[in-house]
Amino acid sequence: MTALERRYRRLLTWYPKDHQARHEEEMLAVLLAASTPGQSSPAWRDAFDLARGGLAIRARRAASPGSRRRRGARDPPLRCRRSCAG
C-alpha cells in the first residue's frame, strides 16, 4: 500500500461505514487512477471534496425521516417512559 493510497483511505473515513463498505474500493481506484505519477499526497481539492461528500451524506441521513438523530425523534426521557408505561 502506497502512502497516497493510505491517505486516500483515511479521507474516505469521512463517509459512513456502510457507504465505505460498498464503495471504498471503487472510489479508491478512481482516485488513484486520476493521480499523477509520483504523487504522494492527495490534492487539497480532492481532500476537500471527499470530506464534503462524506459530511453531506451523513447530514442527509441525519435529516431524513425516520432518523433517530433528527430533532424531535428522540426517545422520551426515562421518567416519562416509566410513568407512561402504566
Side-chain angles (χ1 to χ4, degrees):
M1 182 182 307
T2 66
L4 181 60
E5 182 179 349
R6 216 174 23 257
R7 289 179 176 131
Y8 274 133
R9 284 186 188 277
R10 183 173 300 161
L11 286 168
L12 289 171
T13 62
W14 283 98
Y15 287 85
K17 293 243 186 249
D18 64 318
H19 186 89
Q20 287 178 46
R22 280 183 302 203
H23 303 289
E24 182 178 33
E25 294 304 318
E26 180 182 1
M27 292 173 75
L28 186 60
V30 170
L31 290 164
L32 291 173
S35 65
T36 59
Q39 183 178 344
S40 62
S41 62
W44 70 269
R45 289 180 177 141
D46 289 340
F48 177 79
D49 192 47
L50 288 169
R52 183 180 57 86
L55 288 173
I57 289 175
R58 288 178 186 270
R60 249 191 322 269
R61 289 183 180 183
S64 68
S67 172
R68 293 184 57 85
R69 294 183 185 172
R70 206 169 135 233
R71 188 177 190 163
R74 297 185 182 120
D75 286 336
L78 182 58
R79 68 176 192 274
C80 179
R81 282 184 274 167
R82 287 181 183 157
S83 64
C84 296

